[in-house]
């Protein structure tokens, strides 16, 4: 017996019904806001992530599935969507606005546990080409709306601004000075990062007490980043999106500037409570070779965690299960089933060949709202129907079954 790899999952029914709900809600939301679908390669050149995400980030340093392919190139199973989306935007001409949505697997070599997998799924939105706060606002509002539409409980939104590159280089020096002063109290991991990625230490859980006194980016923003952050907050307020300002939120990757945000759910223990996050990443285009900045904002939300936080629904899986009393009318029943499906009803059947009792068992297992039995009444244009929730039975004109289901 060969089993699946550690940190990977087979997502099968009944669990996968919740995934379908998530993916449909996401796709519907994206369409309502004018985001087109992007289908992206799972495999990219390693350099894309080394340069885009940043060589000194935890993802690139420790977690990538990287190998040499048969042509001798270093390739990587994508650990995130954003760098690939910007690459695709640039390769497609890199002009104007492009609003993209994507869903699919990501790969990170992590210590697997619940909500932390080696192959995990994200839904992702990217708003490319727009430097204005409206892009940040839209991406944040959509993220909150998706979770609200799915009924995820206890969601909080944290936002922050980490400023522009020039603000950050001034701030980084201040932070480094502070960190060198408290180096003896920091974890080994953080001590090692003081010089190459000091911002990352700000959101280190292990060092929270020590960095509580550190200077924060918000106090060192330039005029433009300050105005941008004010515009983002104003826009969120106007839409009634509630948030907390989190001065130590920086997010792990190198490409962010200005707005960063993260969404949490009270449904989880702290370590896995992040449902997703994102921000503005104007520097990313140039990091991967664009000659001019590509202003953009994006978000990635973790599907495993959203699915785990979604409430159960009692929504039936099918509208109707069609059972055959004998095999005499199979061809006519097949045509009827086809018409019901044409009308948008979710219908299943076995096409006869088994006892009514066996078919009723299958109907119960199928999660259908009702069963229709094709028997002798068929010749008078009728079927017997049974509501599987209430047990109520009736003889109905076959043309009225749709209405009966929608009653
Ligand atoms: P990140 O790209 O690290 O900001 O991750 C965005 C979201 O993806 C997180 O908030 C999680 O919900 C989800 N996520 C990240 N890494 C994993 C993982 N290893 N397993 C499951 N979900 C993850």
């Amino acid at each position: 017996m060969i089993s699946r790899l550690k940190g990977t999952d087979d997502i099968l029914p009944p669990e996968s019904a919740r995934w379908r709900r998530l993916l449909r809600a996401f796709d519907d939301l994206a369409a309502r806001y004018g985001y087109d679908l992007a289908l992206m390669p799972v495999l990219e050149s390693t350099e894309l992530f080394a340069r885009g995400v940043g060589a000194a980030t935890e993802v690139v340093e420790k977690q990538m599935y990287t190998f040499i392919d048969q042509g001798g190139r270093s390739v990587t199973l994508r650990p995130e969507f954003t760098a690939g989306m910007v690459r695709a935007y640039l390769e497609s001409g890199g002009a104007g606005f492009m609003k993209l949505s994507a869903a699919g697997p990501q790969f990170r070599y992590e210590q697997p546990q619940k909500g932390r997998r080696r192959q995990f799924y994200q839904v992702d939105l990217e708003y490319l080409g727009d430097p204005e706060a409206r892009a940040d606002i839209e991406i944040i509002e959509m993220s909150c709306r998706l979770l609200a539409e799915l009924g995820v409980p206890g969601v909080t939104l944290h936002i922050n601004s980490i400023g522009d590159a020039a603000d950050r280089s001034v701030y980084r020096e201040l932070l480094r000075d502070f960190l060198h002063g408290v180096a003896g109290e920091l974890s080994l991991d953080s001590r090692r990062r003081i010089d190459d990625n000091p911002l990352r230490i700000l959101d280190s859980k292990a060092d929270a007490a020590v960095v509580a006194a550190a200077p924060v980016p918000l106090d060192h923003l330039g005029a433009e980043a300050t105005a941008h952050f004010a515009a983002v907050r104003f826009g969120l307020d106007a839409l009634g999106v509630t948030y907390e300002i989190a001065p130590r939120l920086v997010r792990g990757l190198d490409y962010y500037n200005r707005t960063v945000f993260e969404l949490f759910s009270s449904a989880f223990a702290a370590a896995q409570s992040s449902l997703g996050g994102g921000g503005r990443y104007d520097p990313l285009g140039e990091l991967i070779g664009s000659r001019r900045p590509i202003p953009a904002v994006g978000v990635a939300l973790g599907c495993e965690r959203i699915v785990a936080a979604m409430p159960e629904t009692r929504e039936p899986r099918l509208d109707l299960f069609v059972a055959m009393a004998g095999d005499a009318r199979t061809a006519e029943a097949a045509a009827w089933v086809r018409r019901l499906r044409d009308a948008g009803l979710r219908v299943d059947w076995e096409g006869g060949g088994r006892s009514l009792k066996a078919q009723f068992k299958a109907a119960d297992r199928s999660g259908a709202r009702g069963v229709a039995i094709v028997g002798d009444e068929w010749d008078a244009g009728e079927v017997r129907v049974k509501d599987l929730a209430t047990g109520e039975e009736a003889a109905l004109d076959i043309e009225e079954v749709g209405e009966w289901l929608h009653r």
Side-chain angles (χ1 to χ4, degrees):
M1 182 56 202
I2 299 169
S3 45
R4 63 177 187 270
L5 293 174
K6 197 172 152 187
T8 68
D9 301 296
D10 302 316
I11 301 162
L12 299 170
E15 161 98 356
S16 57
R18 298 156 70 81
W19 284 74
R20 181 184 259 178
R21 206 156 28 102
L22 161 59
L23 293 172
R24 282 196 173 157
F26 173 71
D27 194 49
D28 182 69
L29 177 78
R32 272 185 282 150
Y33 280 72
Y35 286 66
D36 289 305
L37 177 66
L39 298 171
M40 304 295 301
V42 168
L43 212 50
E44 296 272 7
S45 70
T46 302
E47 205 189 348
L48 174 70
F49 303 113
R51 278 171 44 191
V53 176
T57 58
E58 184 159 18
V59 169
V60 173
E61 252 182 4
K62 298 192 195 152
Q63 299 183 329
M64 294 214 298
Y65 279 88
T66 295
F67 60 96
I68 305 296
D69 76 3
Q70 296 187 33
R73 298 170 209 91
S74 179
V75 296
T76 294
L77 293 176
R78 67 179 180 214
E80 57 125 54
F81 269 125
T82 309
M85 297 281 246
V86 176
R87 177 199 53 66
Y89 175 79
L90 289 170
E91 278 196 63
S92 74
F97 293 174
M98 197 182 260
K99 303 209 289 186
L100 298 175
S101 69
Q106 315 296 336
F107 301 84
R108 295 183 195 173
Y109 198 81
E110 309 234 30
Q111 220 28 274
Q113 48 185 297
K114 196 170 181 318
R116 190 171 297 283
R117 317 300 296 154
R118 289 183 174 166
Q119 174 170 341
F120 62 98
Y121 290 76
Q122 286 182 337
V123 289
D124 183 277
L125 298 164
E126 310 287 349
Y127 190 149
L128 295 143
D130 194 345
E132 302 297 332
R134 62 177 170 232
D136 312 47
I137 296 161
E138 183 169 283
I139 289 280
I140 295 172
E141 191 230 336
M142 289 176 76
S143 310
C144 296
R145 188 193 282 260
L146 176 68
L147 298 174
E149 288 183 354
L150 291 167
V152 174
V155 174
T156 50
L157 164 65
H158 288 185
I159 65 170
N160 192 22
S161 174
I162 58 171
D164 288 311
D167 311 335
R168 264 218 312 291
S169 53
V170 175
Y171 168 71
R172 197 178 283 120
E173 289 315 310
L174 284 173
L175 182 61
R176 264 195 199 120
D177 286 349
F178 170 87
L179 292 169
H180 278 300
V182 295
E185 300 161 56
L186 292 174
S187 63
L188 257 180
D189 244 10
S190 292
R191 220 178 299 163
R192 210 169 42 82
R193 287 207 176 106
I194 294 180
D195 287 313
D196 57 8
N197 197 354
L199 257 71
R200 192 63 229 267
I201 303 172
L202 271 195
D203 65 5
S204 150
K205 302 234 158 44
D207 299 300
V210 187
V211 298
V216 292
L218 265 188
D219 293 332
H220 302 277
L221 300 184
E224 287 182 25
T226 301
H228 187 90
F229 194 47
V232 171
R233 284 183 330 225
F234 181 81
L236 293 175
D237 292 339
L239 294 172
V241 175
T242 53
Y243 55 84
E244 287 168 33
I245 304 221
R248 262 167 278 280
L249 174 66
V250 292
R251 307 211 16 96
L253 318 177
D254 274 4
Y255 50 59
Y256 289 112
N257 69 327
R258 298 194 176 179
T259 319
V260 290
F261 66 95
E262 195 147 351
L263 288 147
F264 299 90
S265 166
S266 59
F268 301 111
Q272 276 81 48
S273 67
S274 166
L275 294 176
R280 177 164 282 283
Y281 54 87
D282 305 337
L284 177 51
E286 286 172 302
L287 289 173
I288 63 170
S290 169
R291 286 209 196 83
R292 54 185 184 83
I294 305 296
V297 193
V299 61
L301 294 140
C303 298
E304 283 77 3
R305 296 184 193 177
I306 297 176
V307 164
M310 275 162 55
E312 288 295 343
T313 59
R314 299 195 172 276
E315 175 62 12
R317 185 179 154 273
L318 287 174
D319 296 306
L320 189 69
F321 193 94
V322 174
M324 303 295 300
D327 293 334
R329 303 175 181 88
T330 307
E332 289 152 76
W336 182 52
V337 166
R338 184 177 155 86
R339 284 210 314 280
L340 293 169
R341 288 170 172 162
D342 281 345
L345 291 169
R346 299 167 304 164
V347 183
D348 202 4
W349 73 319
E350 295 181 343
R354 294 214 296 164
S355 71
L356 253 188
K357 193 168 158 211
Q359 293 178 71
F360 257 92
K361 266 201 188 142
D364 270 327
R365 268 199 313 269
S366 77
R369 291 179 55 200
V371 192
I373 304 154
V374 175
D376 292 337
E377 306 87 344
W378 180 267
D379 301 330
E382 287 189 350
V383 286
R384 287 203 66 73
V385 292
K386 180 175 178 185
D387 184 315
L388 287 174
T390 63
E392 171 198 341
E393 293 190 40
L396 281 186
D397 188 306
I398 60 169
E399 300 304 333
E400 284 166 11
V401 172
E403 226 166 276
W404 176 76
L405 287 167
H406 283 132
R407 77 199 183 283

